[in-house]
Amino acid sequence: MTRYAIDRSRNALIACWSTGLGDTAVVVADLASGISSRDALNLARALTQLSEACWRCYTHPASAADSHEPHSEGWRRQGERDAFAVVPTALTSPNLPSDGHMIQSYIRVEEAAHRVGRALHTLDAAELTTRVTIDVAAELAAIEQAELGNLAERARQAVALTREDASPVQVAQADSMLHDDPFGHETLFTEIDPAAAAVAAAHWLHAAATITAEYAGLPATQIVAEADNIEALPHETPTLVLELMADGASPRQAVMPMIRAALRVAEGEIPNIAALKQRIIAAEQMIDKWRDAQPEVSLDTLNLRITPLDPTRPALDLLEDLLSGIRGCWLLYAEYAIDRDEAGDLDDEDAEDWQEHRTASFFAEVRGEAADQRKRLL
């Protein structure tokens, strides 16, 4: 989302947003000298709230809701998205107090636009209203562009957000990037929606685990956890994804429910009470086994998590974990390659050449497996 602020040094309204590498900013409008600081800050706050409400239509699309019946979650989300059409009018002709009353909309996007309109009405500056209207139009266009899978220019801020759905266009682009570099290039984080990148990464993780399992003589579901014995890795979520895919889930089916659950946790909800109860029961049974040796252990000391992902950035967190899982597969692959190739006594230069050769071989085998299973991804 775009955050608006007042640049006191030049008395200007500015807009800034994340690009995946860092934030960028543009000047929306210079402010007249007579405008009070309080009124200017109120406008900046109202614009930030409008951007947040509008980008929520991107992160929580109606298409991801279970139902679209009247008054359902999908129905409400579609109402929010449809309100984009009334935003320009609300900016220039907002609902104002009359006889001690004021009309307020239950639709968050629409009411946020009216708040901006009222802030502009208070400032009573025609040029400022024109420039703010232009900037808001650019913000809405960026969201619509992101919905189509194009994250160029201002729509690039979507790379810092977590979406409840993954664009097929973005998944295909992420798949192409992972084909070029199965370890994951920086562009995955700066040009691709992280939920879509995580779906593609799950596909490549499964391919890497499948190849490595053939050499290690282990089930693919155990590969990342086994690699954790070589180098500390965040193995919980990659293993969970591999287990779901081993049970027949597609990459999308393995990834998106996990992301959606974390988004619900971020909003203070418990996404799956039945699953949480099962985890608590399993933890209590484990505590009973430990009670004699560790009487101080309790449910509180176990630090049980409602979600394995960071609720503030679940898609990015999952993407990072899945890419670490692919690297874990390589670590185990290389470990067994040392035994196969008897490369343990090589000097530094030969060892470097051997490392490059084995990495190239790993990439080639993983690419082949990923290509064979590509139908399940797309």
Side-chain angles (χ1 to χ4, degrees), residues 359-378:
T359 300
S361 297
F362 176 72
F363 280 5
E365 291 189 61
V366 171
R367 287 178 180 128
E369 178 65 22
D372 289 344
Q373 301 296 329
R374 193 167 188 266
K375 184 178 180 180
R376 70 182 175 188
L377 174 64
L378 303 177

Side-chain angles (χ1 to χ4, degrees), residues 41 156 172 176 179 228 244 254 323 356 377:
L41 289 171
R156 190 174 174 182
S176 177
H179 180 274
D228 182 57
L244 290 169
L323 293 178
E356 291 179 0
L377 174 64

Side-chain angles (χ1 to χ4, degrees), residues 231-252:
E231 180 180 300
L233 295 167
H235 58 83
E236 181 181 359
T237 50
T239 298
L240 179 56
V241 167
L242 289 171
E243 289 172 347
L244 290 169
M245 293 184 67
D247 289 338
S250 68
R252 180 184 293 269

Side-chain angles (χ1 to χ4, degrees), residues 66-289:
D66 294 331
S67 172
H68 296 82
E69 295 296 319
H71 307 294
S72 67
E73 179 64 19
W75 178 84
R76 283 190 290 270
R77 291 184 181 186
Q78 189 60 53
E80 293 286 344
R81 181 60 180 82
D82 292 343
F84 278 27
V86 303
V87 167
T89 301
L91 298 180
T92 55
S93 301
N95 293 332
L96 299 172
S98 177
D99 297 327
H101 301 282
M102 184 173 66
I103 298 174
Q104 288 187 299
S105 175
Y106 286 103
I107 299 175
R108 185 181 178 189
V109 168
E110 183 177 359
E111 183 55 31
H114 279 286
R115 288 197 190 101
V116 174
R118 286 192 286 272
L120 289 168
H121 178 80
T122 299
L123 292 167
D124 192 23
E127 180 65 19
L128 175 60
T129 297
T130 298
R131 293 196 173 276
V132 166
T133 301
I134 292 172
D135 188 79
V136 170
E139 183 80 343
L140 296 180
I143 296 170
E144 293 170 353
Q145 181 179 312
E147 289 172 334
L148 296 175
N150 181 356
L151 303 190
E153 302 298 334
R154 190 162 181 160
R156 190 174 174 182
Q157 59 189 294
V159 302
L161 303 174
T162 291
R163 195 172 193 232
E164 281 193 353
D165 201 1
S167 161
V169 173
Q170 288 277 297
V171 172
Q173 290 177 1
D175 177 56
S176 177
M177 290 179 181
L178 284 164
H179 180 274
D180 293 340
D181 181 0
F183 285 158
H185 191 267
E186 182 183 77
T187 51
L188 271 179
F189 295 90
T190 61
E191 297 181 12
I192 302 294
D193 177 286
V199 170
H203 170 65
W204 283 84
L205 170 62
H206 187 269
T210 300
I211 292 300
T212 306
E214 294 176 2
Y215 292 100
L218 295 170
T221 54
Q222 296 180 18
I223 293 300
V224 181
E226 182 67 20
D228 182 57
N229 294 321
I230 303 173
E231 180 180 300
L233 295 167
H235 58 83
E236 181 181 359
T237 50
T239 298
L240 179 56
V241 167
L242 289 171
E243 289 172 347
L244 290 169
M245 293 184 67
D247 289 338
S250 68
R252 180 184 293 269
Q253 291 167 339
V255 163
M256 293 314 303
M258 197 183 306
I259 289 175
R260 291 171 185 166
L263 285 172
R264 291 184 62 186
V265 171
E267 296 187 347
E269 300 177 15
I270 298 177
N272 191 332
I273 294 178
L276 181 59
K277 285 182 177 178
Q278 291 177 353
R279 293 182 65 192
I280 292 174
I281 291 172
E284 289 174 335
Q285 292 172 344
M286 184 169 55
I287 290 171
D288 288 339
K289 293 180 180 179

